[in-house]
DNA sequence: GGGTGCATGTAATGGGTTACATGATTCT
DNA sequence: AGAATCATGTAACCCATTACATGCACCC
């Protein structure tokens, strides 16, 4: 594939858990090429624009297998929403509610988007040997999004309770702007 | 607090969803100081080492409230495990199983660690006005970790099925190394 | 005397996005 | 004619971690 192709493939498949920009892809391909892990072929078929097609080499396949066997580095994923919520008592009145609602909307949209993807996948299940693995990544997304949705809904209820308690507390003294 | 204090506070409270290194903290404090959002006071009480204590200013509090009201930027979180799993059919035999097992162990440890934290929190619930918010962030962690655990367990079963199907398929032709 | 913890900071490096820069082809 | 898509790449910049560099205080 070309760098451009790769970008598109990424966007249409792994975008939910991995994404790369051109600024990463093109230099990476050059580097892989220098290391002999991929080969490049310039194509310009009959009045077409220039294309550089890359193809993995046997050495590249070996390296891929090695990488797949390496343990995953577990990074702390930063959750801006949680950081804000952590300081929730310092926030203006409806701010936390709005933030959680936004997140809930994202989770819902995500869950909806998985429907069509799942149907596409089901069709590929018999032809593509990797399809069962794609299914597993999809299941992860579904599980995570569902958990997020449930948490958001519960959290909205809790925020309402907190708000009420604050108002009740001293009949509206010192409101949060 | 001092930069050092801040680091410790972070590690003991938000480490599960947000973390900062000294390389970030010290320059940030300098910048905040230049912008008048915090003030610095040098302390050297009776035979102690030098300490620089920072304190938020009214302008800083305003800025904090502004930031809390800003919508969260939603970044694509990169999941190395899923990226590897996506190429699972190219992986050496037990590799994906090992990766998922590792993740499962992490999720379990995380869930266990939340127990004591929750008890501590319960104690602070009456004294700290922010404690209910801390509780919410904790609930998020619990929900996410529980979802991850369930997915890992299901995925391990699926991987076993895939492995069996592959072996059955042609009685061991072209095995994965 | 030596390890650990307190305390401050800078420099090197890596990873990544966005913007910039270019230009052909195809579709409307 | 103009917009969208194909296609490639570089440069500037931001964010973040790790390693480096320093040194005191306290405890064993």
């Amino acid at each position: 594939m070309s760098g451009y192709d790769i970008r598109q493939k990424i966007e249409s498949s792994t975008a939910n858990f991995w994404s790369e920009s051109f600024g990463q892809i093109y230099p990476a391909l050059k580097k892989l090429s220098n290391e002999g892990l991929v080969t490049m072929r310039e194509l310009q078929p009959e009045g077409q624009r220039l294309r550089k097609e890359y193809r993995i080499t046997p050495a590249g396949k070996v390296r891929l297998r090695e990488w797949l066997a390496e343990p995953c580095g577990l990074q702390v994923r930063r959750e801006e929403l949680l950081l804000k919520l952590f300081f929730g008592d310092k926030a203006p009145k409806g701010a936390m509610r709005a933030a959680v609602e936004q997140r809930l909307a994202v989770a819902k949209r995500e869950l909806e988007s998985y429907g069509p993807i799942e149907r596409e996948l089901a069709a590929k299940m018999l032809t593509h040997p990797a399809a069962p693995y794609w299914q597993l990544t999809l299941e992860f997304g579904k599980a995570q999004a569902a958990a997020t949705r449930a948490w958001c809904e519960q959290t909205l209820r809790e925020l309402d309770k907190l708000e009420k308690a604050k108002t009740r507390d001293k009949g509206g003294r010192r409101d949060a702007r």
Side-chain angles (χ1 to χ4, degrees), chain A residues 71-75:
Chain A
C72 299
L74 38 117
Q75 69 289 355

Side-chain angles (χ1 to χ4, degrees), chain A residues 64-79:
Chain A
L64 174 61
R65 282 170 66 90
E66 279 170 19
W67 175 75
L68 286 169
E70 283 170 22
C72 299
L74 38 117
Q75 69 289 355
V76 180
R77 52 159 185 225
R78 298 182 152 192
E79 287 282 355

Side-chain angles (χ1 to χ4, degrees), chain A residues 123-138:
Chain A
K124 286 178 189 154
M125 217 59 175
L126 294 166
T127 55
H128 273 75
Y133 294 95
W134 302 342
Q135 177 72 33
L136 293 175
T137 67
L138 183 66

Side-chain angles (χ1 to χ4, degrees), chain A residues 38 62 91 98 105 109 114 120 131 165 169:
Chain A
V38 302
V62 169
R109 241 185 299 125
Y114 289 147
E120 271 180 68
D169 199 26

Side-chain angles (χ1 to χ4, degrees), chain A residues 76-107:
Chain A
V76 180
R77 52 159 185 225
R78 298 182 152 192
E79 287 282 355
E80 189 179 333
L81 174 60
L82 294 194
L83 186 58
K84 283 184 167 147
L85 205 53
F86 191 82
F87 296 105
D89 65 316
K90 305 278 191 293
K93 210 169 170 190
M96 292 302 106
R97 213 178 191 287
V100 174
E101 268 165 358
Q102 188 211 304
R103 179 57 158 269
L104 175 58
V106 170

Side-chain angles (χ1 to χ4, degrees), chain A residues 2 11 39 92 94-95 103 111 122 124 137 144 154 165 168 171 174:
Chain A
S2 69
E11 290 311 302
T39 54
R103 179 57 158 269
L111 282 169
K124 286 178 189 154
T137 67
Q144 223 66 14
Q154 178 60 29
R168 184 170 7 97
R174 269 276 256 183

Side-chain angles (χ1 to χ4, degrees), chain A residues 111-166:
Chain A
L111 282 169
E112 277 165 28
S113 78
Y114 289 147
I117 294 175
E118 206 159 12
R119 277 187 287 279
E120 271 180 68
L121 239 184
K124 286 178 189 154
M125 217 59 175
L126 294 166
T127 55
H128 273 75
Y133 294 95
W134 302 342
Q135 177 72 33
L136 293 175
T137 67
L138 183 66
E139 293 301 329
F140 186 91
K142 279 165 62 183
Q144 223 66 14
T148 299
R149 182 184 52 185
W151 174 84
C152 285
E153 282 163 352
Q154 178 60 29
T155 297
L156 288 173
R157 283 191 291 271
E158 295 293 333
L159 287 174
D160 287 344
K161 264 196 260 173
L162 280 173
E163 199 50 60
K164 238 179 260 172
K166 212 186 284 174

